[in-house]
Amino acid sequence: MAEYVVKVNAKDVIKPGMPLVIDFEDKKGEKLKLKSSVHDTYFDRGTLKIAMPSYQGRFLPLPRGEFIRVTVTADKVVYAFSSRVLDYGRDQESNLLIMYITVPEQVNRVQRRRYVRIPLVLNGSFTIENEEGRYSFLTRDFSAGGMLMCTSKFLKVGQIIYVELDLTDLRLSNQKSQIVRYAGLNQTTGFHEYGVQFLDVPPELEKALVSYVFQQEIKLRKLREEV
């Protein structure tokens, strides 16, 4: 299964309470995966305070200065970065065993091919293969792989359409797509709703779409936090 990597700001995605895994190789050459979680973040100092890592149920403090690989998990994506152990001991505030590690300004957001879908309302238009005319639509949700489209035009599952859609700094122009699902007639709006899959998307465009969806996801999260 393919993976897509996008650089993102650590302060936008890493939050207290998120689980993390540390990849570490001991002196015998054995590769271990240690479990931990984020206690607190100090991005101004490039530091994370994490729970003391554990292996098979036992706490395993790592040497100061040790270089490690860290992955922080959230929903369907992981955030990965290289780090170094700064210190460890008992936290004065919580009395829990903790460890301090470095965190860079930007981390790698690793997403698998199963695209993240977000609620998003956009205006666009489409043409139908081998037919005249252009039709307008609204999106209800959007991903790098497709969208839920609302339109007054009745379409059949399997039909090929060509989509025009403005995504601010990115545009889908004559994007070949296929109707893969009929979601029914919305009685409130009077629009037919369809699941649409984008076809033959070039790798660079696909990467740009993944990045766009992620940035919209960040905006939605910030709006929810402000409410």
Side-chain angles (χ1 to χ4, degrees):
M1 184 177 289
E3 292 183 341
Y4 299 89
V5 178
V6 180
K7 288 282 188 183
V8 298
N9 292 327
K11 65 180 180 180
D12 289 335
V13 297
I14 298 180
K15 309 292 182 183
M18 295 175 73
L20 63 81
V21 173
I22 294 174
D23 286 289
F24 169 71
E25 187 172 334
D26 65 14
K27 294 180 180 179
K28 298 178 182 179
E30 185 180 359
K31 295 181 179 180
L32 308 177
K33 287 188 178 293
L34 313 181
K35 294 181 179 180
S36 181
S37 61
V38 180
H39 270 206
D40 215 337
T41 59
Y42 308 97
F43 294 113
D44 56 333
R45 306 202 298 264
T47 304
L48 294 181
K49 179 166 70 174
I50 67 173
M52 182 66 75
S54 64
Y55 179 69
Q56 295 182 345
R58 295 182 294 108
F59 288 127
L60 186 61
L62 301 178
R64 295 176 179 87
E66 188 73 35
F67 287 94
I68 54 177
R69 185 69 179 168
V70 178
T71 54
V72 181
T73 58
D75 298 327
K76 298 177 182 177
V77 297
V78 299
Y79 303 101
F81 58 95
S82 296
S83 179
R84 184 168 55 88
V85 177
L86 295 174
D87 201 2
Y88 61 87
R90 192 169 292 277
D91 187 30
Q92 294 180 351
E93 296 178 7
S94 64
N95 203 37
L96 298 173
L97 291 173
I98 52 91
M99 178 178 286
Y100 289 94
I101 63 173
T102 61
V103 61
E105 288 187 10
Q106 290 194 317
V107 296
N108 291 325
R109 181 184 196 263
V110 183
Q111 178 181 311
R112 300 198 178 271
R113 186 176 287 276
R114 184 183 297 175
Y115 301 110
V116 173
R117 188 174 294 274
I118 58 170
L120 193 64
V121 178
L122 298 167
N123 289 289
S125 65
F126 66 92
T127 57
I128 304 172
E129 189 173 58
N130 300 323
E131 290 188 21
E132 296 291 330
R134 177 172 294 278
Y135 307 93
S136 61
F137 70 84
L138 284 172
T139 64
R140 278 191 55 191
D141 61 38
F142 187 85
S143 79
M147 60 185 176
L148 184 63
M149 179 181 82
C150 309
T151 179
S152 59
K153 177 67 176 175
F154 183 74
L155 299 164
K156 296 178 181 179
V157 172
Q159 274 188 295
I160 299 297
I161 63 173
Y162 294 87
V163 170
E164 297 285 335
L165 186 62
D166 190 2
L167 304 171
T168 313
D169 296 328
L170 182 65
R171 182 174 180 80
L172 293 180
S173 182
N174 204 37
Q175 174 58 53
K176 186 177 181 180
S177 307
Q178 185 174 32
I179 306 300
V180 294
R181 180 172 63 91
Y182 179 52
L185 177 67
N186 188 311
Q187 298 297 329
T188 301
T189 64
F191 285 164
H192 300 284
E193 299 186 353
Y194 303 94
V196 177
Q197 180 182 359
F198 302 140
L199 302 178
D200 304 330
V201 180
E204 284 303 311
L205 176 58
E206 189 173 35
K207 185 176 180 180
L209 289 171
V210 169
S211 180
Y212 170 80
V213 170
F214 173 71
Q215 295 302 327
Q216 296 302 313
E217 198 178 10
I218 290 291
K219 290 179 181 179
L220 288 171
R221 188 182 305 158
K222 288 182 177 178
L223 285 173
R224 293 191 193 104
E225 291 173 353
E226 291 173 359
V227 174

